Amino acid sequence: MRRMNRIKNFFLYLVLIAIAIVMLYPFVWSFTASFKTTTQIYNGNPLDLWPNPFILDNYIRAWTALPFYRFILNSLFLSIIVPFFSILFAAMASYSFARLRFRGRDLVFVLLLAVMMMPGHITLIPNYAIVRSLGWINEYEALIIPSIFSGQIVINIFFLRQYLLAIPKELDEAAIIDGCSRFGIWARIMMPNSKPALATLAILSFVTQWNAFLWPIVVINDYWKMPIQVGLSYFKSSTNTDWGVLMAGATISIIPMVIVFLIFQKQFIKSLLTSGLK
C-alpha cells in the first residue's frame, strides 16, 4: 500500500509540475523577452529563454519614451481610492442585507444579483453620456465615480453578505444588551471578524482596477491621467510594435500587484486563524 501511494503521489506531483510549467511559461518568456533585442525576439527560438545579448535598454526606453511613472502613479491612486470606497459602501450594504430587516430587502437584493448577470458593456454608452454631460471627460472623476459604483460593488456586496451570514447572531445580541448601536456592531464586531473576506476583496478589487482598460481608454485622452494599462497600449501600433519595450513595461506593471498580493495574503491567513475569537 505504501509503495502504491508513493507511485500515485509521484505521478500526481509530475502532473502538477507539468501544469505549473505550462501556466508559468508565458510569464517567464515575457520577463526574459524584456531583456532581449527585437531581432532575438522575432528570430530566436521560442524555447530559448536566456537573453543573448542581455540588455537593459528596453526598460530605459519604456520609462523615458512616455510618462511611464505617471501611468504607475495614476493606477496606484485609482487602485487604492476606488477599492477603498467600493468595499466601504459594500460593507455597509452587506450588513444591512445580512442583519437588518426592512420592507423590500429581498427584492432589492435580487435586483442587485440581476445586475451581476448583465455584461458591463451594456452600461458603457449610458455611463459615457452621463460623464460627458457632467463635464468629466479627461478628468479623474470619470475614472473614480463610475468605477466605485460599477458591477464590482455588487460582487463585493454579495460576497460580504454571504460571509456575514456565517457570523453568529449571538454576537449582535450580546452587543445590543451592552448598549452598542447598530453602527458600533458593524464597526466593532462585524468588520473585525470579516477581515478574511475584506482582504480577499481588497486583492480582487485592486487587481481589477489595476487591469482596467476599456473604460479609461474611452474617457481619458490625456497622457498625464492615463492608467498603466492604457499607457502600455501606446507601445503597440498597427504597423510596428517594439515587443522588448512592451514586455519591459508589462514586467514593471506586474510588480505592484505582486507586492499587494503578498501583503494581503499574509493578512488573510492571519485573520482566518483568529476570526471569531475576539
Side-chain angles (χ1 to χ4, degrees):
M1 289 297 295
R2 290 182 179 178
R3 185 176 181 181
M4 289 297 297
N5 289 333
R6 289 177 181 177
I7 294 175
K8 290 180 180 179
N9 290 335
F10 173 78
F11 284 104
L12 176 61
Y13 285 121
L14 194 64
V15 172
L16 293 176
I17 291 173
I19 294 175
I21 292 174
V22 172
M23 297 293 293
L24 292 175
Y25 180 79
F27 297 97
V28 176
W29 185 91
S30 63
F31 174 72
T32 58
S34 65
F35 298 101
K36 295 180 180 179
T37 62
T38 303
T39 303
Q40 188 179 1
I41 292 175
Y42 278 103
N43 301 328
N45 187 350
L47 298 179
D48 185 11
L49 299 178
W50 187 256
N52 186 22
F54 187 92
I55 62 172
L56 295 174
D57 185 60
N58 291 328
Y59 286 89
I60 298 174
R61 292 166 59 192
W63 192 265
T64 58
L66 294 172
F68 200 82
Y69 75 95
R70 186 72 183 192
F71 298 157
I72 295 178
L73 291 177
N74 289 334
S75 288
L76 284 175
F77 172 72
L78 295 173
S79 298
I80 293 174
I81 294 296
V82 173
F84 175 79
F85 285 103
S86 178
I87 295 175
L88 176 64
F89 296 148
M92 295 179 180
S94 61
Y95 175 73
S96 300
F97 287 120
R99 286 294 196 263
L100 303 183
R101 293 186 176 275
F102 54 90
R103 182 175 298 179
R105 182 190 65 175
D106 296 336
L107 177 61
V108 175
F109 185 70
V110 170
L111 293 176
L112 285 176
L113 294 181
V115 174
M116 294 175 58
M117 305 175 189
M118 296 173 55
H121 301 79
I122 295 178
T123 60
L124 185 64
I125 295 178
N127 284 341
Y128 179 82
I130 294 173
V131 168
R132 183 179 180 182
S133 65
L134 294 173
W136 288 352
I137 299 298
N138 275 330
E139 299 294 339
Y140 284 114
E141 289 85 346
L143 296 173
I144 297 174
I145 305 301
S147 299
I148 291 176
F149 300 100
S150 63
Q152 183 64 39
I153 194 174
V154 180
I155 298 175
N156 295 345
I157 292 173
F158 174 77
F159 188 87
L160 281 174
R161 175 186 177 272
Q162 300 306 115
Y163 191 89
L164 292 178
L165 289 175
I167 298 177
K169 292 185 178 180
E170 286 77 11
L171 295 176
D172 302 41
E173 297 171 355
I176 292 174
I177 293 175
D178 290 338
C180 190
S181 64
R182 284 292 181 180
F183 181 80
I185 295 174
W186 173 80
R188 298 181 180 181
I189 299 177
M190 295 294 107
M191 290 303 99
N193 283 278
S194 301
K195 287 181 180 179
L198 295 175
T200 302
L201 291 180
I203 295 173
L204 297 177
S205 300
F206 183 92
V207 172
T208 299
Q209 191 59 38
W210 185 268
N211 291 328
F213 176 78
L214 181 59
W215 177 248
I217 202 173
V218 169
V219 296
I220 297 296
N221 298 317
D222 186 356
Y223 272 132
W224 295 95
K225 296 178 182 178
M226 288 181 180
I228 185 67
Q229 302 303 329
V230 178
L232 286 175
S233 67
Y234 280 83
F235 288 118
K236 183 178 180 181
S237 66
S238 58
T239 57
N240 183 32
T241 300
D242 194 336
W243 289 104
V245 177
L246 182 59
M247 292 299 101
T251 301
I252 297 174
S253 68
I254 292 175
I255 295 175
M257 287 193 293
V258 174
I259 294 174
V260 169
F261 178 78
L262 293 176
I263 293 174
F264 280 95
Q265 184 187 38
K266 181 179 178 180
Q267 180 64 29
F268 175 83
I269 296 174
K270 180 180 178 181
S271 301
L272 183 62
L273 294 175
T274 58
S275 60
L277 299 179
K278 295 181 179 180

